[in-house]
Amino acid sequence: IHNGIHVVMGSLHEKGGSVERTVKRVTPRSMVTSLTITMGFVSMLTSQHYALSFLGQTMVIGMMASVPLTLVTLPALLLLIERRRAIGHIDSQE
């Protein structure tokens, strides 16, 4: 969620913001943040308690799946929205 918020807010709401610039700025920070959070859950994998170990496995898998989805799929969708707005803006001026 944190990564997605940065991408959306940076590309749509910053003055002069674009998806490309936002992704270049946000990706390294998002990777570090996500890896740090994942390392916290990796420590749960060594737990003798089944529920904690299972939660650790689930969260590591979830984090590793959400990072590429957020940093690849979300910018692609935002680019489509940005292009449609630009086309709509051009059509409305004619």
Side-chain angles (χ1 to χ4, degrees):
I1 292 172
H2 189 260
N3 296 343
I5 290 170
H6 280 296
V7 172
V8 171
M9 298 305 284
S11 63
L12 297 179
H13 297 291
E14 286 182 358
K15 184 177 181 181
S18 73
V19 176
E20 293 91 1
R21 279 187 272 147
T22 301
V23 170
K24 285 179 185 175
R25 189 185 76 235
V26 169
T27 299
R29 293 162 179 85
S30 295
M31 294 299 292
V32 170
T33 302
S34 298
L35 286 173
T36 304
I37 293 169
T38 302
M39 288 299 113
F41 289 121
V42 165
S43 68
M44 295 171 68
L45 296 175
T46 61
S47 174
Q48 297 297 318
H49 193 271
Y50 173 75
L52 285 178
S53 179
F54 181 76
L55 178 64
Q57 290 173 354
T58 306
M59 293 305 293
V60 168
I61 292 168
M63 284 296 294
M64 291 294 104
S66 69
V67 171
L69 287 173
T70 302
L71 297 176
V72 174
T73 307
L74 184 58
L77 291 171
L78 291 172
L79 276 173
L80 287 173
I81 292 169
E82 194 174 75
R83 288 180 183 159
R84 285 186 183 214
R85 284 185 180 173
I87 291 170
H89 182 67
I90 291 170
D91 290 341
S92 66
Q93 289 181 349
E94 293 176 358

